[in-house]
Amino acid sequence: MTVAVETGLWQLDTTTSTVGIRHKTMWGLVTVRGRFGAVSGTGEVRPDGSAVGTLTLDVATLDTGNAKRDTHLKSADFFDAGNHPEITFAADSAELRDGDQVHVVGRLTVCGVSRPLSLTARLKDGDTAGLTLEAEFSVDREQFGMGWNQLGMIRGRTTVTATLRFVRAAA
């Protein structure tokens, strides 16, 4: 599939875009899934076809379907929403390669700690009206200072899934 994406400024469509997390807990026996209710972002496709942009997640909107767990995840043991209300990903470079594969290089900031992150997204569709990127990648939460692990119950990497729909930014 070859997709032509117009140069210019793009805005995240917050009504159709989703970012979720998935983590195995209870010694790998239970998978906890969550979703951020408020996601925002912007991007720019440059004349050479490369892109840059920023994605922001509101930590207070994380919902796993369990209020007690959500309160704990937003506490200083994990996301520390009181001191770090946002998670951001700043894409320094995004290049379309191999058909619909988008190589993305940037920095992920969680709990005030920034780390480089490279990932491959898939350009699901794109035209003059909008474009959709899908990505799935994993992160080690301990690299961001989230080391809480009562009795070894929470180990390993957290998987992040994203479906991001961008539309042309208003002039």
Side-chain angles (χ1 to χ4, degrees):
M1 170 175 87
T2 302
V3 178
V5 178
E6 289 191 15
T7 60
L9 300 177
W10 295 80
Q11 184 73 41
L12 190 71
D13 180 348
T14 59
T15 60
T16 59
S17 297
T18 60
V19 176
I21 58 172
R22 184 173 69 239
H23 191 93
K24 289 201 179 273
T25 184
M26 302 291 289
W27 305 281
L29 300 174
V30 176
T31 299
V32 173
R33 298 174 193 279
R35 182 173 176 270
F36 291 92
V39 181
S40 61
T42 59
E44 178 184 2
V45 177
R46 297 174 171 165
D48 68 359
S50 68
V52 295
T54 303
L55 182 69
T56 303
L57 311 176
D58 181 345
V59 174
T61 67
L62 177 61
D63 181 6
T64 66
N66 180 308
K68 185 176 179 181
R69 177 175 49 223
D70 293 348
T71 298
H72 189 207
L73 289 172
K74 295 169 194 174
S75 77
D77 286 340
F78 290 96
F79 289 107
D80 195 9
N83 291 310
H84 305 286
E86 296 178 338
I87 295 171
T88 59
F89 178 71
D92 300 323
S93 161
E95 297 177 1
L96 187 60
R97 299 180 181 169
D98 301 323
D100 65 351
Q101 301 299 302
V102 180
H103 180 68
V104 182
V105 176
R107 294 194 68 75
L108 179 63
T109 303
V110 181
C111 295
V113 177
S114 292
R115 299 274 187 238
L117 177 66
S118 297
L119 61 101
T120 300
R122 185 171 78 85
L123 183 58
K124 185 175 173 187
D125 60 49
D127 56 33
T128 57
L131 62 97
T132 303
L133 291 171
E134 293 181 338
E136 181 172 301
F137 59 93
S138 64
V139 294
D140 181 351
R141 63 186 182 81
E142 289 187 34
Q143 288 186 333
F144 298 94
M146 291 188 284
W148 190 87
N149 188 4
Q150 188 176 42
L151 302 174
M153 289 174 35
I154 303 172
R155 288 191 179 143
R157 300 173 69 79
T158 298
T159 301
V160 179
T161 57
T163 300
L164 307 173
R165 176 76 180 163
F166 287 90
V167 294
R168 299 290 278 171

